[in-house]
Amino acid sequence: MPKSLKLGKINVSNTKLWIVVGVSVAGILILNERRRRKGRRRRQSAEKEDFGAFIERLELLPSPQPPPPAARHPLAGLTFAVKDIFDVKEYVTGFGSPDWKRTHEPANRTAVAVACLLKHGATCVGKTVMDELSFGFTGENMHYGCPANPEVPSQVPGGSSSGSAVAVAAGLVDFALGTDTVGCVRTPASLCGILGFRPSHGSVSSVGVLANSQSLDTVGWFARDPSILHRVGHVLLQATPIVHRRARRFIFSDDCFQLSKVPKQKTSYVVSKTIENLSGYQSAKHMNIGHFIASNVPTLKVFREASTNMQQGIATLKALSNVMLLLQRCEFKTNHEEWVRTVKPSFGPDISANVLAAVNTTNENIKSFYKVRTEMRAAINSLLKDDGILVIPTVPDAPLKLDSKKSISSEFQDRLLVLLSIVSMSGCCQVTIPLGKHDGCPISVSFIASHGADKFLLDTVLDMYSSLQEQVSIASNLVTLPDTEGDMDASELLKEKGNAAFKGRQWNKAVNFYTEAIKLNGTNATYYCNRAAAYLELGCLQQAEADCNQAILLDKKNVKAYLRRGTAREMLLCYKEAAQDFKHALVLEPQNKAALLAEKRLKKLAG
């Protein structure tokens, strides 16, 4: 045997050598495991630092600043992020879905809106998390996680532009781009306590932006500072910097505020006091926007449910929101049905239900949907003209706890869609304005202006913002004084006068008489219950519910109070609570026809 081979054999059989090799391998494995754990900790730390807002970090530098005496770029020094729906050259636009990203090529050009911001001095630092395919209200994404709401970590941030809203709210960027179809900018702006702008439909280029529903899609943006919101708007809208000051007419939609659970003291009252203190602002007016739309959008009549206990105005707004969803589904189907059926992508449960409903829809009524949209724009433009601003709540209340196993309730979704449909279906512009907090959650109002009045609306926000925030501080310290008790006989006389006015269909007069009776004797459940009936006739649903609450507190066997509270709650689209009231009425009066009919009706609505 050759010596070299013999030596090799001796080395291989050496026990000490094997020990050395084993220790070395173990050391390498331990080192790799430490590196893996360190990398995981680093990733988790990065997610914590950016609140989970980003899908992808990148850097797109702005155009060079021209030498003096040229003016400085209007967005110089500002950073921004974009929703994962905007094309960026040489990057794959993911649409919030790994399956979409896997089946598509990198973009060959950057979206027009993004390029415009770069041209005017801003720096893009990343792409943000969104609901898959821009379907969803919560901001949760099964694949990329849910960005953490910086204002209320226990609450969802809202969607579908969740990452962009969170990046702004957390101070990671100065502003961010999102898209708004049926509330995808307005909802997260409200839930994260920041400013959000949905421009007039078609006023900002959507070239290089993936479509969900092109008749409803808009490019919107978020900011913490009203001056940045204003500057970004002027760039994207290509607006003239010249200021044309005009008088402003504010109109409060009282029926929309009925759908909000936030006390008006913290919302509409704050705006009213601000208007009173600013020069050049006309005294605010109030209206029922649902009744206005019912009278001015005739095509909607065919979409109203025949058997409903809802007031005409609320029923009309509910029909409007249904048409909005049907239009979205029709256009999404046209855009993406082939991809969905071919790829069979994986979606979260809520998104999967929305996509399935869209691809299985029919387009037979689509011409009617477009007609509603056309009539809505004409109606809102005729109401607001070039100086009017409609004031509504942005969202009804906080929708969902983070990581909750429950899905968003149908009641919350119905009320939310009613509020969002006014602008989505009219194509007008809307801004979400934060007004502090209630019960620890951010609250807001929205200002709506006519189609094309975007600059006017941005100027208004800039003009009012500091005064609004002053009133927010004042309102947070206000306390409502309780009513006092008084003479019994006089209160009974006032109640009878109220009853007579009610029979004569003089609802406001009846409310006044019942109110005076309550001031004299606040312990009589009938007074509250009767006033609730008058409030129902006037469409003052929250006031009716509050009176019934008081009546039931004073008399737990007051059947009429349960029936009237159930009616008010049904009209406010709170079906579950309404059903409980009618059920309670049936416990007290098992053969009550009104309660039996209501119970059947609500089962159908819930189904």
Side-chain angles (χ1 to χ4, degrees), residues 46-67:
E47 286 176 4
K48 191 173 182 180
E49 285 175 6
D50 71 7
F51 292 77
F54 288 92
I55 281 180
E56 190 170 15
R57 287 283 194 171
L58 50 87
E59 187 177 50
L60 303 178
L61 296 175
S63 298
Q65 177 68 43

Side-chain angles (χ1 to χ4, degrees), residues 202-439:
S203 62
V204 176
S205 174
S206 60
V207 174
V209 184
L210 294 175
N212 177 288
S213 169
Q214 52 270 28
S215 293
L216 304 172
D217 291 342
T218 56
V219 172
W221 57 97
F222 303 93
R224 299 181 305 281
D225 185 328
S227 66
I228 291 178
L229 188 85
H230 190 268
R231 285 156 63 188
V232 172
H234 273 243
V235 165
L236 290 175
L237 295 162
Q238 300 179 19
T240 170
I242 300 172
V243 177
H244 296 289
R245 185 160 184 86
R246 9 173 187 167
R248 290 164 169 83
R249 292 182 298 115
F250 282 85
I251 305 167
F252 288 85
S253 175
D254 291 338
D255 49 333
C256 287
F257 278 99
Q258 294 284 330
L259 298 174
S260 172
K261 293 184 178 180
V262 178
K264 295 183 184 67
Q265 174 179 301
K266 293 188 173 185
T267 54
S268 57
Y269 177 84
V270 167
V271 180
S272 294
K273 294 301 292 181
T274 302
I275 292 167
E276 289 175 13
N277 294 336
L278 292 173
S279 60
Y281 286 48
Q282 297 180 22
S283 298
K285 298 187 182 300
H286 295 259
M287 72 175 298
N288 185 306
I289 193 68
H291 286 163
F292 175 82
I293 292 171
S295 300
N296 291 275
V297 185
T299 306
L300 263 181
K301 289 178 183 177
V302 300
F303 296 102
R304 280 186 56 189
E305 296 176 19
S307 57
T308 179
N309 194 40
M310 293 179 201
Q311 187 189 50
Q312 182 194 26
I314 294 293
T316 298
L317 290 174
K318 181 73 164 55
L320 181 68
S321 67
N322 287 340
V323 171
M324 175 182 70
L325 286 184
L326 291 168
L327 175 57
Q328 181 191 24
R329 288 172 183 170
C330 286
E331 293 191 336
F332 180 89
K333 177 177 181 173
T334 301
N335 295 331
H336 304 303
E337 180 184 16
E338 183 181 350
W339 178 81
V340 171
R341 296 198 186 279
T342 303
V343 175
K344 296 179 175 55
S346 172
F347 295 126
D350 290 342
I351 305 301
S352 183
N354 288 332
V355 172
L356 188 65
V359 297
N360 289 332
T361 195
T362 61
N363 291 1
E364 57 187 24
N365 289 324
I366 195 162
K367 287 185 179 178
S368 298
F369 305 156
Y370 290 142
K371 192 170 183 182
V372 169
R373 189 187 60 166
T374 301
E375 290 174 357
M376 267 296 295
R377 182 173 300 184
I380 300 300
N381 281 352
S382 71
L383 171 70
L384 300 178
K385 299 183 172 59
D386 67 348
D387 64 344
I389 294 171
L390 183 68
V391 186
I392 66 170
T394 310
V395 300
D397 48 72
L400 202 64
K401 293 286 184 183
L402 188 64
D403 297 327
S404 170
K405 292 182 180 178
K406 297 179 181 178
S407 59
I408 191 168
S409 74
S410 59
E411 293 175 2
F412 172 83
Q413 187 165 311
D414 282 353
R415 287 181 283 126
L416 176 65
L417 289 171
V418 160
L419 295 173
L420 297 171
S421 64
I422 297 170
V423 161
S424 284
M425 285 300 290
S426 66
C428 296
C429 49
Q430 178 174 341
V431 63
T432 298
I433 304 173
L435 294 182
K437 290 186 176 181
H438 174 65
D439 288 343

Side-chain angles (χ1 to χ4, degrees), residues 13-232:
S13 63
N14 191 314
T15 304
K16 290 181 179 180
L17 177 64
W18 274 112
I19 293 171
V20 172
V21 170
V23 170
S24 300
V25 171
I28 291 168
L29 290 173
I30 292 169
L31 182 61
N32 285 339
E33 176 62 16
R34 284 179 176 173
R35 284 175 177 170
R36 188 180 68 79
R37 290 182 179 180
K38 190 174 181 180
R40 185 172 63 188
R41 286 196 299 268
R42 192 181 290 121
R43 285 194 300 274
Q44 289 173 344
S45 176
E47 286 176 4
K48 191 173 182 180
E49 285 175 6
D50 71 7
F51 292 77
F54 288 92
I55 281 180
E56 190 170 15
R57 287 283 194 171
L58 50 87
E59 187 177 50
L60 303 178
L61 296 175
S63 298
Q65 177 68 43
R72 193 165 180 256
H73 286 316
L75 304 180
L78 300 182
T79 58
F80 71 103
V82 299
K83 184 177 181 177
D84 188 29
I85 199 171
F86 290 85
D87 283 346
V88 172
K89 189 176 180 180
E90 299 178 0
Y91 290 85
V92 180
T93 308
F95 216 178
S97 163
D99 288 314
W100 182 280
K101 193 168 189 174
R102 173 176 57 81
T103 54
H104 288 80
E105 297 296 320
N108 55 21
R109 60 175 296 186
T110 297
V112 169
V114 177
C116 180
L117 296 171
L118 296 171
K119 179 184 175 182
H120 287 86
T123 300
C124 181
V125 297
K127 288 194 167 195
T128 56
V129 175
M130 59 179 283
D131 284 292
E132 298 151 85
L133 275 55
S134 208
F135 265 125
F137 297 108
T138 64
E140 297 170 295
N141 187 301
M142 181 180 78
H143 309 284
Y144 300 114
C146 183
N149 188 330
E151 286 295 308
V152 194
S154 62
Q155 292 279 5
V156 295
S160 63
S161 305
S162 54
S164 290
V166 166
V168 170
L172 305 175
V173 291
D174 296 300
F175 67 95
L177 288 187
T179 58
D180 191 306
T181 304
V182 295
C184 316
V185 164
R186 292 165 285 170
T187 302
S190 181
L191 298 185
C192 291
I194 57 175
L195 293 154
F197 195 85
R198 176 194 160 106
S200 298
H201 186 263
S203 62
V204 176
S205 174
S206 60
V207 174
V209 184
L210 294 175
N212 177 288
S213 169
Q214 52 270 28
S215 293
L216 304 172
D217 291 342
T218 56
V219 172
W221 57 97
F222 303 93
R224 299 181 305 281
D225 185 328
S227 66
I228 291 178
L229 188 85
H230 190 268
R231 285 156 63 188
V232 172

Side-chain angles (χ1 to χ4, degrees), residues 521-543:
N521 178 17
T523 61
N524 191 311
T526 302
Y527 300 169
Y528 288 101
C529 193
N530 287 7
R531 188 169 69 174
Y535 274 137
L536 282 174
E537 296 293 342
L538 288 167
C540 299
L541 308 178
Q542 285 186 337
Q543 290 92 326

